[in-house]
Amino acid sequence: MKLGIDKFQKYGLESLVILFSIILSFYIEGQRDLANKKADKNKLIEDLINTIDEDLEQLEIISGLTSDAVKSFNDVQNDINLGNFNVSKNEIMSKIISSSVATSFFPQKGIFNQLIATGSFELIDSNELKTLLLRLFNHQNERNLAISNQIDIFQIEFQNKIYGEFRIDIEYNSLEGKIYGEQNLKSFIFNRNYYSSNEFYGLLSRAKQWGNMYIRLLDDIRENYKQARIYAEYEINN
């Protein structure tokens, strides 16, 4: 009887050892898999930092172009307000055709989408980083698209009216300019009556309004990008 108990204890102990070994192997494999996933996540975060830097450069360029456009429209309105038309007609027309508030920002969403698709997003330790990324690539991206679409519609109206009223012809140099190329004034017929009209003045005011709204949005996006970059650096270095 004692021998039977001893065998039972022996087999029981062996079974426990085997069970423990299996559990341990699963644990080790799970830890290895988690380590690999975290390494992949960190690599994606590094790539994200690079795209953030590129997007920040794009934001700087577009914000600068939009600010320059608003300034040019201010200059034209100041000339109209003075009533003596001191600014040369050629300079006025050049300001009008070279100024646009419709240069849109397009964020690079590829790395963010990879973070979501691979499950790496859930492995991010920083809740602040996750919140900022969701805000940037979801909420603020939707706002950006909505405002950009409205500005594009306005820009079409603006150009149709201006190019028709002043009979403007241009030359387009695709090799110049910071984003879309550069438009150069070729010829025009200056319509003084339209230049002095309330309609033209109102178009300039609307262009400035859209421009200032977009600059504000770009500033908000830029600040969130900068903060996200700080959290991203901390994520991979700690």
Side-chain angles (χ1 to χ4, degrees):
M1 185 70 179
K2 184 182 178 188
L3 183 59
I5 294 174
D6 289 342
K7 284 184 178 181
F8 177 78
Q9 290 177 337
K10 178 183 177 182
Y11 292 146
L13 182 59
E14 290 177 350
S15 298
L16 286 174
V17 171
I18 293 171
L19 179 61
F20 177 76
S21 299
I22 293 172
I23 293 173
L24 182 61
S25 66
F26 276 122
Y27 173 77
I28 293 173
E29 183 63 29
Q31 290 299 108
R32 185 184 296 116
D33 183 57
L34 180 60
N36 290 335
K37 287 181 178 178
K38 285 189 174 182
D40 292 340
K41 179 261 296 183
N42 286 343
K43 177 62 172 63
L44 286 173
I45 294 295
E46 290 176 3
D47 293 340
L48 179 70
I49 290 172
N50 292 331
T51 60
I52 285 176
D53 289 339
E54 292 172 1
D55 279 353
L56 282 170
E57 289 180 14
Q58 186 190 167
L59 282 164
E60 193 69 30
I61 292 171
I62 295 172
S63 183
L65 290 172
T66 308
S67 295
D68 290 344
V70 170
K71 182 180 182 302
S72 291
F73 295 141
N74 264 326
D75 291 342
V76 175
Q77 283 187 320
N78 287 338
D79 183 64
I80 295 172
N81 291 337
L82 290 173
N84 51 15
F85 309 121
N86 286 331
V87 182
S88 73
K89 298 180 179 68
N90 193 77
E91 183 180 349
I92 288 169
M93 290 296 102
S94 293
K95 282 179 179 290
I96 291 173
I97 69 163
S98 63
S99 302
S100 172
V101 295
T103 305
S104 299
F105 168 64
F106 294 100
Q108 301 180 75
K109 295 182 62 177
I111 301 302
F112 173 74
N113 290 338
Q114 284 187 56
L115 283 167
I116 298 294
T118 60
S120 297
F121 185 82
E122 296 304 322
L123 296 177
I124 295 176
D125 294 323
S126 171
N127 288 326
E128 291 85 357
L129 177 57
K130 288 193 282 190
T131 299
L132 277 173
L133 293 179
L134 289 171
R135 183 182 304 158
L136 280 166
F137 294 109
N138 288 334
H139 173 64
Q140 284 190 321
N141 184 55
E142 290 173 1
R143 284 183 59 204
N144 177 44
L145 290 174
I147 293 178
S148 294
N149 183 57
Q150 292 299 312
I151 292 175
D152 288 342
I153 293 172
F154 166 76
Q155 186 68 17
I156 292 171
E157 175 193 352
F158 182 85
Q159 289 184 324
N160 285 343
K161 197 67 182 177
I162 301 307
Y163 279 63
E165 290 290 344
F166 294 104
R167 200 173 176 179
I168 295 171
D169 189 16
I170 63 167
E171 293 178 330
Y172 185 78
N173 188 343
S174 61
L175 300 179
E176 299 295 331
K178 293 181 178 180
I179 295 185
Y180 294 128
E182 187 174 82
Q183 298 181 109
N184 297 309
L185 186 64
K186 185 177 179 181
S187 66
F188 66 93
I189 297 176
F190 190 77
N191 185 339
R192 182 178 290 273
N193 288 334
Y194 185 73
Y195 184 70
S196 304
S197 70
N198 291 336
E199 180 181 333
F200 179 58
Y201 199 90
L203 277 177
L204 294 173
S205 294
R206 287 172 62 198
K208 292 194 306 179
Q209 181 185 35
W210 281 118
N212 286 321
M213 286 176 61
Y214 201 54
I215 290 169
R216 170 58 192 273
L217 175 62
L218 295 179
D219 286 344
D220 290 344
I221 293 174
R222 181 164 46 214
E223 289 306 310
N224 282 332
Y225 263 118
K226 289 179 179 179
Q227 196 62 45
R229 194 189 191 287
I230 293 172
Y231 286 127
E233 286 277 8
Y234 186 83
E235 179 76 20
I236 60 177
N237 290 323
N238 292 276

